[in-house]
Amino acid sequence: MKTLIAYCGLDCESCEARLATINNNDSLRANVAKKWSDLNGVEITQQMINCVGCRVDGVKTPYCESLCPIRQCAIGKKVSTCGECEQMESCQKLGAIIGNNPSALKNLRG
């Protein structure tokens, strides 16, 4: 599996936060911060938009680093992705991701 597939199956390679980080694009950071703030109903600042990928070494957004319950669960279970977990299909934490993003489930099934 590609290392830029997140624990939840999302493709970090196409994530706007990652693209803003690797291209050092402050305009894209500002756009992502606004979009994510509106989607989540919390203030996300441009400075928070720094991430190189969920499963690779390096900087992460504050949410991805320590608040994402899926990432924390996978790290705790010592699995490469949720695709290795026997509870993947019934997992409530993962359900919103794979329910709204069929490609994430496909990535996990690999």
Side-chain angles (χ1 to χ4, degrees):
M1 179 175 298
K2 295 186 325 184
T3 57
L4 288 176
I5 298 298
Y7 290 104
C8 65
L10 292 176
D11 188 350
C12 294
E13 192 167 4
S14 61
C15 176
E16 290 180 312
R18 181 180 174 278
L19 294 173
T21 303
I22 64 171
N23 294 306
N24 196 25
N25 184 330
D26 286 337
S27 176
L28 183 54
R29 279 188 182 99
N31 290 340
V32 172
K34 168 106 174 74
K35 184 189 313 183
W36 288 5
S37 292
D38 292 346
L39 282 171
N40 295 293
V42 297
E43 182 181 2
I44 298 172
T45 66
Q46 178 178 332
Q47 293 75 22
M48 293 175 175
I49 306 301
N50 285 294
C51 190
V52 293
C54 179
R55 297 188 308 128
V56 297
D57 290 337
V59 66
K60 315 261 181 286
T61 67
Y63 181 81
C64 294
E65 177 67 38
S66 58
L67 300 174
C68 175
I70 296 169
R71 184 172 188 271
Q72 296 306 312
C73 180
I75 290 170
K77 289 184 175 185
K78 295 181 173 37
V79 295
S80 294
T81 69
C82 295
E84 293 180 3
C85 180
E86 294 176 5
Q87 300 166 329
M88 178 183 79
E89 300 287 340
S90 62
C91 179
Q92 290 183 348
K93 291 179 191 126
L94 185 62
I97 301 293
I98 61 177
N100 293 319
N101 192 325
S103 63
L105 182 57
K106 181 180 176 184
N107 289 335
L108 292 174
R109 289 182 175 157

